[in-house]
Amino acid sequence: MTSPATFQRDKLELPFLKDVWYVAGWMSEFEGPGPFARTIADEPLVLYRKKDKTISALADRCAHRWAPLSRGRTEGDDIRCMYHGVRFRSDGTCAEVPGQSQAAPTLRVRSYSVVERHQLVWVWLGDPARADLHSIPDLSMLDQPSRRIYQGSLDYAAHYSLICDNLLDLSHIGFLHEKTAGQPVVELTDVPAGSCYMPGGSEAKLIDRGVRAESWISGPTARSVALPKRTPDGDLWTRTDFLVPGIFISVDRMYPSGTANRCGRLAPAPELESLSDTMSIQAVTPISKRESRYFYSFGPRASEVDVSEGAAMWRIVLATFAEDVKMIEAQQKVIDQHPGDQMGGIAADRGFTLYRNLMKRLSSEEAAAARDSASIDQ
Ligand code: FES
Ligand SMILES: [Fe+2]
């Protein structure tokens, strides 16, 4: 196992990348024409639906006197600023100036690439020419009718880095969620030292645009809040991926005892039938340096939990999220009280350290690409 001494002991605030898809909200938050105001990574946006129900995103700033367009009204495929009435198309061009025979071509609002996928609305903050739909993670588990899916969101008064850290080291479950998740911290022989009953950050590894932690845990210690009560004991395979810019995908699958060894303690084949299968997909979106929005979901297979069992599991999951909010907001306050001091490092920091280094690299690459395109433009 890597020595804790090799981990970076910083409290770096992760950069707000531009060339990424951020989650603006659940699709269900954008019913009706809008307009809907959202701020992502310090950029105020207005989203609205056109006649064909497709969604558009513009800067929330009228090109005339900078009134927020989210205080305007939608008109067919356009949005009208309700200060002096200038109307804009969904590409940000001016369609009408009241009292003028012609629209003003110089009045232009920035438009953003926006797409709906896997029950979520995604916004690309960078140059639309670079918007790459393939970089939206495969969250198709959210679309599976075979699952009983619960979803929601909550706001944090904290930098989104701290929420990412939290999701990149689930060993905190044994402590912070000791009472709600109801699982004592146990010594395990089949996961690396330093892990609790859930995979911690110490075995995390870098994958394409993210960090992965996965493990097999066997016997009664494998019980977790993510498992339906009627699931028999066996070998639990857990995988968590945390992908840029803050997408968390976790899968908990229980298999009959002996499966872990039959798989060589490697990931089971996707077609291998499991006794239970629960997923959780979450997304962290920065709003500003001290505000973040956290989108979450939880989805056991409907065949394994009835409505009341699913609701009971969901209540526990929500209670754990409330514990995270309390702790992380308190942590943010302490951090802000000690701006010059250095934090400590332990083995479980590996997951978020890998992720922080990845984000730093992507941020440098983005800055270099911006410099290159600026020099080409000159
Ligand atoms: S500020 Fe929008 S029309 Fe004047
Ligand atoms: Fe937590």
Coordinates of all heavy atoms in Angstrom, one line a residue, residues 18-23 115 117-118 122-125 130-139 208-210 243-247 249 362:
K18 N -14.1 24.4 -17.4 CA -15.1 24.9 -18.4 C -15.5 23.9 -19.4 O -16.7 23.7 -19.7 CB -14.5 26.2 -19.1 CG -14.2 27.3 -18.3 CD -15.4 28.0 -17.7 CE -15.1 29.2 -16.9 NZ -16.2 29.7 -16.1
D19 N -14.5 23.1 -19.9 CA -14.8 22.2 -20.9 C -15.3 20.8 -20.4 O -14.6 19.8 -20.5 CB -13.5 22.0 -21.8 CG -13.3 23.2 -22.7 OD1 -14.2 24.0 -22.8 OD2 -12.2 23.2 -23.3
V20 N -16.3 20.9 -19.6 CA -16.9 19.7 -19.0 C -18.5 19.9 -19.0 O -19.0 21.0 -19.1 CB -16.5 19.5 -17.6 CG1 -15.0 19.0 -17.5 CG2 -16.6 20.8 -16.8
W21 N -19.2 18.8 -18.9 CA -20.6 18.9 -18.7 C -21.0 18.9 -17.2 O -20.6 17.9 -16.5 CB -21.3 17.6 -19.4 CG -21.2 17.6 -20.9 CD1 -20.3 16.9 -21.6 CD2 -22.0 18.3 -21.8 NE1 -20.5 17.1 -23.0 CE2 -21.6 18.0 -23.1 CE3 -23.1 19.2 -21.7 CZ2 -22.2 18.5 -24.2 CZ3 -23.7 19.7 -22.8 CH2 -23.3 19.3 -24.1
Y22 N -21.6 19.9 -16.8 CA -22.1 20.0 -15.4 C -23.6 19.6 -15.4 O -24.3 20.0 -16.3 CB -21.9 21.4 -14.9 CG -20.5 21.8 -14.5 CD1 -19.8 22.7 -15.4 CD2 -19.9 21.4 -13.4 CE1 -18.5 23.1 -15.0 CE2 -18.6 21.7 -13.0 CZ -17.9 22.6 -13.9 OH -16.6 23.0 -13.6
V23 N -23.9 19.0 -14.3 CA -25.4 18.8 -14.1 C -26.0 20.1 -13.6 O -25.7 20.6 -12.6 CB -25.6 17.7 -13.0 CG1 -27.0 17.6 -12.6 CG2 -25.1 16.3 -13.6
V115 N -28.0 19.7 -22.9 CA -28.6 18.5 -23.4 C -29.2 17.7 -22.2 O -28.8 17.9 -21.0 CB -27.5 17.6 -24.0 CG1 -26.4 17.1 -23.0 CG2 -28.0 16.4 -24.8
R117 N -30.1 14.1 -20.7 CA -29.7 12.7 -20.8 C -29.7 12.1 -19.4 O -29.3 12.7 -18.4 CB -28.3 12.6 -21.4 CG -27.8 11.2 -21.7 CD -26.6 11.2 -22.5 NE -26.8 11.6 -23.9 CZ -25.9 11.6 -24.8 NH1 -24.6 11.1 -24.5 NH2 -26.1 11.9 -26.1
H118 N -30.2 10.8 -19.4 CA -30.3 10.1 -18.1 C -31.0 10.8 -17.0 O -30.5 10.9 -15.9 CB -28.9 9.6 -17.7 CG -28.1 8.9 -18.7 ND1 -28.6 8.0 -19.5 CD2 -26.8 9.1 -19.1 CE1 -27.7 7.5 -20.4 NE2 -26.6 8.2 -20.2
W122 N -27.7 18.7 -18.6 CA -26.3 18.9 -18.6 C -26.0 20.2 -19.4 O -26.5 20.4 -20.4 CB -25.5 17.7 -19.2 CG -25.8 16.4 -18.7 CD1 -26.9 15.6 -18.9 CD2 -25.0 15.6 -17.8 NE1 -26.9 14.4 -18.2 CE2 -25.7 14.4 -17.5 CE3 -23.8 15.9 -17.2 CZ2 -25.2 13.4 -16.7 CZ3 -23.3 14.9 -16.3 CH2 -24.0 13.7 -16.1
V123 N -25.1 21.0 -18.8 CA -24.6 22.2 -19.5 C -23.1 22.2 -19.6 O -22.4 21.9 -18.7 CB -25.1 23.5 -18.7 CG1 -24.5 24.7 -19.3 CG2 -26.6 23.6 -18.6
W124 N -22.7 22.6 -20.8 CA -21.3 22.7 -21.2 C -20.9 24.1 -21.0 O -21.4 25.0 -21.8 CB -21.0 22.1 -22.6 CG -19.6 22.2 -23.1 CD1 -19.1 23.3 -23.7 CD2 -18.7 21.2 -23.1 NE1 -17.8 23.0 -24.1 CE2 -17.5 21.7 -23.7 CE3 -18.6 19.9 -22.6 CZ2 -16.3 20.9 -23.9 CZ3 -17.5 19.2 -22.7 CH2 -16.3 19.7 -23.4
L125 N -20.0 24.5 -20.1 CA -19.7 25.9 -19.9 C -18.6 26.4 -20.9 O -18.5 27.6 -21.0 CB -19.1 26.1 -18.5 CG -20.1 26.0 -17.3 CD1 -19.4 26.5 -16.1 CD2 -21.4 26.8 -17.6
R130 N -16.4 22.8 -28.7 CA -15.6 21.7 -28.1 C -16.6 20.7 -27.3 O -16.1 19.8 -26.7 CB -14.5 22.2 -27.2 CG -13.4 22.8 -27.9 CD -12.1 22.9 -27.1 NE -12.3 23.9 -26.0 CZ -12.0 25.2 -26.0 NH1 -11.6 25.7 -27.1 NH2 -12.3 25.9 -25.0
A131 N -17.9 21.1 -27.3 CA -18.8 20.3 -26.5 C -18.8 18.8 -27.0 O -19.2 18.6 -28.2 CB -20.2 20.9 -26.5
D132 N -18.5 17.9 -26.2 CA -18.3 16.5 -26.6 C -19.3 15.6 -25.9 O -19.1 15.4 -24.7 CB -16.9 16.1 -26.3 CG -16.7 14.6 -26.6 OD1 -17.5 14.0 -27.3 OD2 -15.7 14.0 -26.1
L133 N -20.4 15.2 -26.6 CA -21.4 14.5 -25.9 C -20.9 13.1 -25.4 O -21.5 12.6 -24.4 CB -22.5 14.2 -26.9 CG -23.5 15.4 -27.2 CD1 -24.5 15.0 -28.3 CD2 -24.2 15.8 -25.9
H134 N -19.8 12.6 -26.0 CA -19.3 11.4 -25.5 C -18.7 11.5 -24.0 O -18.5 10.5 -23.4 CB -18.2 10.8 -26.4 CG -18.7 10.5 -27.7 ND1 -18.5 11.2 -28.9 CD2 -19.5 9.4 -28.1 CE1 -19.2 10.6 -29.9 NE2 -19.8 9.6 -29.4
S135 N -18.4 12.7 -23.6 CA -17.9 12.9 -22.3 C -18.9 12.9 -21.2 O -18.6 13.0 -20.0 CB -16.9 14.1 -22.2 OG -17.6 15.3 -22.4
I136 N -20.2 12.8 -21.6 CA -21.2 12.6 -20.5 C -21.2 11.1 -20.1 O -21.3 10.2 -20.9 CB -22.6 12.9 -21.1 CG1 -22.7 14.4 -21.4 CG2 -23.7 12.6 -20.1 CD1 -24.1 14.9 -22.0
P137 N -21.0 10.9 -18.8 CA -20.9 9.5 -18.4 C -22.1 8.7 -18.7 O -23.2 9.2 -18.7 CB -20.7 9.6 -16.9 CG -20.4 11.0 -16.6 CD -20.9 11.9 -17.7
D138 N -21.9 7.4 -18.8 CA -23.1 6.5 -19.0 C -23.8 6.3 -17.7 O -23.3 5.6 -16.8 CB -22.6 5.1 -19.5 CG -23.7 4.2 -19.7 OD1 -24.9 4.6 -19.5 OD2 -23.4 3.0 -20.0
L139 N -24.9 7.0 -17.5 CA -25.7 6.9 -16.3 C -27.0 6.2 -16.6 O -28.0 6.5 -16.0 CB -25.9 8.2 -15.7 CG -24.7 9.1 -15.4 CD1 -25.1 10.4 -14.7 CD2 -23.7 8.4 -14.6
D208 N -9.9 6.5 -16.7 CA -10.1 7.6 -17.7 C -11.0 8.7 -17.1 O -12.1 8.4 -16.8 CB -10.7 7.0 -19.0 CG -10.8 8.1 -20.1 OD1 -9.9 9.0 -20.1 OD2 -11.7 8.1 -20.8
R209 N -10.5 9.9 -16.9 CA -11.2 11.0 -16.4 C -11.9 10.7 -15.0 O -13.0 11.2 -14.7 CB -12.3 11.5 -17.4 CG -11.6 12.1 -18.6 CD -12.6 12.5 -19.6 NE -13.3 13.7 -19.2 CZ -12.8 15.0 -19.3 NH1 -11.6 15.2 -19.8 NH2 -13.6 16.0 -18.9
G210 N -11.2 9.9 -14.2 CA -11.8 9.7 -12.9 C -11.0 8.8 -12.0 O -9.8 8.4 -12.3
L243 N -16.1 10.6 -11.4 CA -15.6 11.1 -12.7 C -15.7 12.7 -12.8 O -16.6 13.3 -12.2 CB -16.5 10.5 -13.8 CG -16.6 9.0 -13.8 CD1 -17.6 8.5 -14.9 CD2 -15.2 8.4 -14.1
V244 N -14.9 13.2 -13.6 CA -14.9 14.7 -13.8 C -16.2 15.1 -14.4 O -16.7 14.4 -15.3 CB -13.7 15.0 -14.8 CG1 -13.8 16.5 -15.2 CG2 -12.4 14.7 -14.1
P245 N -16.8 16.2 -13.9 CA -16.4 17.2 -12.9 C -17.0 16.9 -11.6 O -17.1 17.9 -10.8 CB -16.8 18.5 -13.5 CG -18.1 18.2 -14.2 CD -18.0 16.7 -14.7
G246 N -17.5 15.7 -11.2 CA -18.0 15.5 -9.9 C -19.2 14.5 -10.0 O -20.2 14.6 -9.2
I247 N -19.0 13.5 -10.8 CA -20.1 12.5 -11.0 C -19.7 11.2 -10.3 O -18.6 10.6 -10.5 CB -20.3 12.2 -12.5 CG1 -20.4 13.5 -13.3 CG2 -21.5 11.3 -12.7 CD1 -21.5 14.4 -13.0
I249 N -20.7 7.3 -9.3 CA -21.5 6.2 -9.7 C -21.1 5.0 -8.8 O -19.9 4.6 -8.8 CB -21.2 5.8 -11.2 CG1 -21.3 7.0 -12.1 CG2 -22.1 4.7 -11.6 CD1 -20.7 6.8 -13.5
L362 N -6.1 18.6 -15.8 CA -7.1 19.0 -16.8 C -7.2 20.5 -16.8 O -7.4 21.1 -17.9 CB -8.4 18.4 -16.5 CG -8.5 16.9 -16.6 CD1 -9.9 16.3 -16.1 CD2 -8.3 16.5 -18.1

